[in-house]
Amino acid sequence: MFHVKAVRAIAGSTLTVLSLLAATSLASAADKITIMVGGYEKQIYLPAKLAESLGYFKDEGLDVELLNEAAGVDAENQLLAGAVQGVVGFYDHCVDLQAKGKFVESVVQFSQAPGEVELVSNKYPDIKGFADLKGKNLGVTGLGSSTNFLTLFMAAKAGLKPGDTVSVPVGAGGTFIAAMQQDKIQAGMTTEPTISRLLKTKEARVLVDMRTVEGARAALGGTYPAASLYMETNWVNKHKDDVQKLANAFVKTMKFINTHSAAEIADKMPKDFYVGDKDGYIAALEAGKGMFTPDGVMPEDGPKTVLAVLSAFSKNVQGKQIDLAKTYTTEFVKAAK
């Protein structure tokens, strides 16, 4: 009799332990935060991989998974579908989505300039300005992406009408370069290290340069906050502790960028990000490092520039009442430890 009772007791306690282990496993799975990056090898989105490499997520007790997605618009769709909790992408999506009745907000602002360049193929020496791109195919990462937004704005600013150019989704890196080499695009908007790769081979030249704050102001009419960590407002409000920990990790990362050389930063990045040219990667980063915010705080004059740019061409945004205060928050970065 005792033997049967003992077996039952042991079996019961084993089940209890297994239940506890299962609950712990479920809790840890639920605690994972998945962030989709619109191309994490791009220098504009460098803070995402750098924070992981420096161990700052783990220091905060976070289990963060970074997923790679070539175009920001696809990352945005994953966020709205609930497949990921955050996106490292351009802030302009927060404004565009509010115009469509969706509320997402930048919780850490990585950059105050787009870090983008409009490159033109050297097969077309007659192209001197954006107006000369009439009738041309222009490369963008994806349709509805921030490169698409900026391209449409630059075209409208140059006096081109909708339909005067064709936006062609070609991604970045090797796919962008191949599209230009094969003359599928005659010009296109891209970032480092793709820019340096095409300049080095003399296959392309710079038409519009927005890699610096000054360049962005000249092209876009003001400070243009771009790369950011953005999340759905409802999720932020329900997970403030997690968002604060993410902000802590990313603010430390922004300070690291601000206080270390391009070479020191490059050493923390995966070697395949250099695409076989570490010196070129470092030189590009040194030239563009000023686009990053030192503290993750949204530049005060930035949101209105983004709204003005989108309003210049986007039928989604034109005529809509946009509450810019709901497109970003500084609550977490200002409380970051």
Coordinates of all heavy atoms in Angstrom, one line a residue, residues 27 163 172 178 181 250 312:
A27 N 6.6 31.0 -20.6 CA 6.8 32.4 -20.2 C 8.0 33.0 -20.9 O 8.0 34.1 -21.4 CB 7.0 32.5 -18.7
G163 N 3.8 59.5 -62.7 CA 3.9 58.7 -63.9 C 5.0 59.1 -64.8 O 5.3 58.4 -65.8
A172 N 18.4 46.2 -52.0 CA 19.7 46.9 -51.8 C 20.8 45.9 -52.0 O 20.6 44.7 -52.2 CB 19.7 47.5 -50.4
A178 N 23.0 44.8 -59.4 CA 22.7 44.1 -60.6 C 21.7 44.8 -61.5 O 21.8 44.8 -62.7 CB 22.2 42.7 -60.3
Q181 N 23.5 47.6 -63.3 CA 24.4 47.0 -64.3 C 23.7 46.5 -65.5 O 24.1 46.7 -66.7 CB 25.2 45.8 -63.7 CG 26.3 46.3 -62.7 CD 26.9 45.1 -61.9 OE1 26.3 44.1 -61.8 NE2 28.1 45.3 -61.4
F250 N 19.3 50.6 -26.4 CA 19.6 51.4 -27.6 C 20.2 52.8 -27.3 O 21.0 53.3 -28.1 CB 18.3 51.6 -28.5 CG 18.0 50.4 -29.4 CD1 16.8 49.7 -29.3 CD2 19.0 49.9 -30.3 CE1 16.5 48.6 -30.1 CE2 18.7 48.8 -31.1 CZ 17.5 48.2 -31.0
A312 N 3.7 66.5 -49.8 CA 4.0 67.1 -51.1 C 3.6 66.1 -52.2 O 3.4 66.6 -53.3 CB 5.5 67.4 -51.2

